[in-house]
Structures are given as structure tokens and as C-alpha cells.
Amino acid sequence: RLTGQQQEINNLIQRKIAVDEENARLKNEFSNLNQKFKDKSQELKDTEECAQKKEEQNRLVIKNLEEENKGLNTRCADLLNDLEKLRKQEAQWKTEKSGNDARIKNLETDLAEAREQIKELRSICSNLSSQVAVKQEELSQKDCDVIRARKELQELQNLYRQNIEHTAQQAELIKQLQALNTD
């Protein structure tokens, strides 16, 4: 009976050893798992923090992009307004240019007509210059004739004066002769 109990004790001891070993193994595994859990928890915590930071960064980026988009929309609206103004201005300039082109065409026509008139007037002037030259020649001839006529008139006046003096002398002589004759 003692041997049986001894055997049973041995069995129990062996079972205890086996249980202790299993327990030690399980503790070790538990410790490893616990460490892994802690590591994973830390990793999860780090990942969550990183995700939170990323989310915050993304929110900031989105906010900045929205602000930039708002600015770009405003700029786009301004540019569209400017474009509309420029189109209106272009239309106005085209109208003005059309009017100016018509005016230029009219002025060119007037200029061509004026040139034609100038050509005609030059021709007339040339003819008149020729006529003036002829008239000047005639006038010069007339001047010579007038000078000659004046000389002749002067000579005639001198002759006339001499004649009058001569006649006066003759009249005086006749008087003297009549007086002598009477005496």
C-alpha cells in the first residue's frame, strides 16, 4: 500500500512538475504575449497619433487648399471681368478703327483731288508765268517807247519854246519896224 501511495505521490509529483513546467511555459508565453500586446498597443497608439497628426495635417492642407481655391475663384472672376471689359474695349476700338479707316479713305480721296488741283493750278501758274514774261517784255518795250516819246516831246517842247521866243523876237522886230516906218 505504501508503494502504491509512493507511486501515486511520484505520479503526482511528476504531474506537478509537468504542470509547473506547463505553467512556466504558459507564464513565459503569457509574458511574451503580454510584451507583444504592449508592443502592439504602443504601435497602435503611435499609429493612432500618426493618423491623428496626418488627419490634422490633411485638415490644414484641405483648409489651405479651400482658401487657395477661394482666392483662385476670386482671381478667376476678376480675370473674367477684365476679359469682358477688354472685349468691350476691343469692340469699341474696332468701331473707332472702322470710322478712322473711313475717314482716312476720305482724306486720301481729298488728298488725291487736292494733288490733282495743285497739278492743274501749277499748269495754270506756268501758263500765267509765260504770259507775265510776255507782258513784261511788252511792258519793257512800251517803257522804251515811252522814254523815246518823252525825249521827242522834250525836243518838241524845246522847239516850241524856241519858236515862241523866235515869234516874240519877230513881233518885237515888226513893232520896231512899224515904229520906224511911222517915223
Side-chain angles (χ1 to χ4, degrees), residues 9-66:
I9 287 170
N10 282 344
N11 284 342
L12 284 171
I13 288 171
Q14 288 217 344
R15 267 179 66 199
K16 184 184 180 304
I17 289 169
V19 166
D20 283 348
E21 284 177 359
E22 180 68 16
N23 214 3
R25 190 183 64 75
L26 285 171
K27 271 186 181 174
N28 195 23
E29 198 176 321
F30 175 74
S31 177
N32 287 342
L33 284 172
N34 203 22
Q35 190 58 45
K36 276 185 185 176
F37 174 73
K38 281 180 182 173
D39 291 346
K40 289 292 179 189
S41 292
Q42 188 61 42
E43 198 178 322
L44 179 65
K45 191 178 173 188
D46 292 346
T47 305
E48 282 175 347
E49 281 178 6
C50 189
Q52 202 172 351
K53 280 180 185 173
K54 281 278 183 196
E55 199 177 325
E56 190 60 38
Q57 282 178 346
N58 286 345
R59 267 202 298 272
L60 277 172
V61 166
I62 288 167
K63 189 180 175 186
N64 288 339
L65 286 173
E66 283 173 350

Side-chain angles (χ1 to χ4, degrees), residues 137-157:
E137 189 62 37
E138 287 176 8
L139 190 62
S140 179
Q141 191 60 47
K142 297 281 181 195
D143 280 346
C144 289
D145 291 348
V146 166
I147 289 167
R148 203 177 306 111
R150 276 188 182 149
K151 277 184 182 175
E152 287 175 7
L153 180 64
Q154 188 69 43
E155 285 172 10
L156 286 171
Q157 281 176 341

Side-chain angles (χ1 to χ4, degrees), residues 5-146:
Q5 281 183 344
Q6 189 66 39
Q7 185 67 35
E8 201 176 325
I9 287 170
N10 282 344
N11 284 342
L12 284 171
I13 288 171
Q14 288 217 344
R15 267 179 66 199
K16 184 184 180 304
I17 289 169
V19 166
D20 283 348
E21 284 177 359
E22 180 68 16
N23 214 3
R25 190 183 64 75
L26 285 171
K27 271 186 181 174
N28 195 23
E29 198 176 321
F30 175 74
S31 177
N32 287 342
L33 284 172
N34 203 22
Q35 190 58 45
K36 276 185 185 176
F37 174 73
K38 281 180 182 173
D39 291 346
K40 289 292 179 189
S41 292
Q42 188 61 42
E43 198 178 322
L44 179 65
K45 191 178 173 188
D46 292 346
T47 305
E48 282 175 347
E49 281 178 6
C50 189
Q52 202 172 351
K53 280 180 185 173
K54 281 278 183 196
E55 199 177 325
E56 190 60 38
Q57 282 178 346
N58 286 345
R59 267 202 298 272
L60 277 172
V61 166
I62 288 167
K63 189 180 175 186
N64 288 339
L65 286 173
E66 283 173 350
E67 286 292 321
E68 195 177 335
N69 192 34
K70 195 175 172 184
L72 287 172
N73 283 337
T74 305
R75 181 79 181 118
C76 194
D78 290 346
L79 287 172
L80 284 171
N81 285 337
D82 290 349
L83 181 64
E84 190 59 33
K85 283 178 190 170
L86 287 171
R87 280 187 178 147
K88 284 179 183 173
Q89 204 171 23
E90 183 190 19
Q92 188 181 339
W93 284 345
K94 278 182 180 172
T95 306
E96 286 176 11
K97 186 185 180 298
S98 176
N100 287 339
D101 287 348
R103 260 199 312 231
I104 287 167
K105 198 172 179 184
N106 290 339
L107 287 170
E108 282 173 348
T109 306
D110 292 349
L111 183 62
E113 287 173 6
R115 282 184 176 147
E116 200 58 41
Q117 285 177 357
I118 286 169
K119 200 174 171 185
E120 288 172 16
L121 288 171
R122 277 188 179 146
S123 176
I124 291 167
C125 278
S126 178
N127 290 338
L128 287 173
S129 291
S130 300
Q131 288 176 18
V132 165
V134 169
K135 292 293 178 190
Q136 279 179 335
E137 189 62 37
E138 287 176 8
L139 190 62
S140 179
Q141 191 60 47
K142 297 281 181 195
D143 280 346
C144 289
D145 291 348
V146 166

